[in-house]
Amino acid sequence: PAMVLRRAEERGSRAQAVLQAIEKTARDINQDSIDRQDQVRRAAFAPEIVEEELQALGLRSRDWLIHTCHTLVAGTGADRCLVYRAARNSGSLELQAQSDDSDSVVASVGPREGVFGVVFKTGESLLMPTIGQSQAGLSYTHSPQEVGSLVAVPILRRDRSPWGIVILDARVPEGLGERDREVAEGVTRLLLTLFEQLTDLTAYRRGSGEDKMLHDTSQAL
């Protein structure tokens, strides 16, 4: 009983330490948001400033995607990483970033073609450790014969609609395995969370600007 009690106390102490760290982080975030609040209010309703910020965010987002590709190649057995994003108007998947400068990559593919159709239909990642002679599903490349193994991870929004897809491929069979798929899934979840938070913050920013404009107009009236 003494050992059980001591272990329970140790677990309680660790949990308390984690809670204190979370509370400190929350206080820091709150203070940072207060410090920026006036700046956000001043800039939010100026259309030209919003446009500049959106352009800057677009450039930063592309840098994040490229960095993600290089990180996945460095941390897995992949020789190449590609990120496609679903275009809202056309419904196609457009290439957003790649880890190399290969010109064999197809810039725009259909969401129902090959491996893309499989992962979006099931909502699950796909591991093909050995491609073999069946290369019909590799619609993203003009040189499917150069692909020996593949991992495809869908990026799904909260409502399960497709945001995009991450493709990892290796030149040799068995170049990619289960561990590589797990790493890609973890990084993909983090990437989606980052973009969702960015979208939410931009929406709040727009809403704040519209609220302030309405308030100023009503005060003037």
Side-chain angles (χ1 to χ4, degrees):
M3 292 178 61
V4 172
L5 180 60
R6 186 166 61 251
R7 290 171 183 167
E9 290 174 345
E10 290 173 353
R11 287 196 299 269
S13 297
R14 289 195 296 270
Q16 186 66 29
V18 170
L19 286 173
Q20 289 174 353
I22 292 173
E23 290 173 355
K24 183 180 184 303
T25 302
R27 288 195 299 269
D28 291 342
I29 293 173
N30 180 58
Q31 188 58 50
D32 290 341
S33 66
I34 291 173
D35 294 340
R36 290 199 59 193
Q37 195 167 14
D38 288 340
Q39 176 187 353
V40 169
R41 283 174 174 168
R42 286 195 302 271
F45 62 94
E48 65 279 2
I49 295 179
V50 172
E51 184 64 28
E52 290 177 5
E53 290 183 344
L54 289 175
Q55 293 292 335
L57 286 174
L59 178 60
R60 194 179 308 164
S61 299
R62 184 174 181 277
D63 289 340
W64 288 339
L65 292 175
I66 293 174
H67 181 71
T68 298
C69 282
H70 288 296
T71 300
L72 282 172
V73 169
T76 65
D79 294 308
R80 178 171 59 185
C81 173
L82 311 169
V83 178
Y84 285 86
R85 183 168 185 177
R88 289 190 175 273
N89 297 331
S90 63
S92 61
L93 293 165
E94 308 292 338
L95 181 66
Q96 298 293 301
Q98 63 185 98
S99 58
D100 61 6
D101 55 358
S102 171
D103 56 2
S104 66
V105 179
V106 178
S108 179
V109 297
R112 295 183 177 86
E113 297 177 12
V115 296
F116 300 94
V118 173
V119 296
F120 286 135
K121 182 177 181 179
T122 63
E124 302 292 337
S125 61
L126 175 67
L127 169 63
M128 299 175 66
T130 302
I131 300 298
Q133 299 300 317
S134 178
Q135 303 165 348
L138 307 183
S139 57
Y140 67 90
T141 175
H142 296 298
S143 305
Q145 69 279 1
E146 297 178 359
V147 180
S149 55
L150 175 141
V151 168
V153 182
I155 310 175
L156 303 176
R157 297 186 178 92
R158 296 167 187 166
D159 60 359
R160 305 297 291 175
S161 63
W163 184 95
I165 190 170
V166 172
I167 297 288
L168 297 177
D169 63 20
R171 299 186 187 93
V172 297
E174 304 294 337
L176 294 168
E178 190 61 39
R179 177 188 173 277
D180 301 310
R181 171 160 63 176
E182 293 174 357
V183 171
E185 287 176 347
V187 172
T188 299
R189 284 193 295 269
L190 180 62
L191 183 66
L192 178 60
T193 300
L194 179 65
F195 274 94
E196 284 187 334
Q197 293 296 322
L198 183 63
T199 302
D200 288 344
L201 289 172
T202 304
Y204 292 147
R205 184 77 176 270
R206 286 183 179 275
S208 173
E210 292 172 358
D211 290 344
K212 187 176 188 304
M213 185 180 298
L214 180 61
H215 172 75
D216 292 344
T217 302
S218 64
Q219 288 292 98
L221 288 172

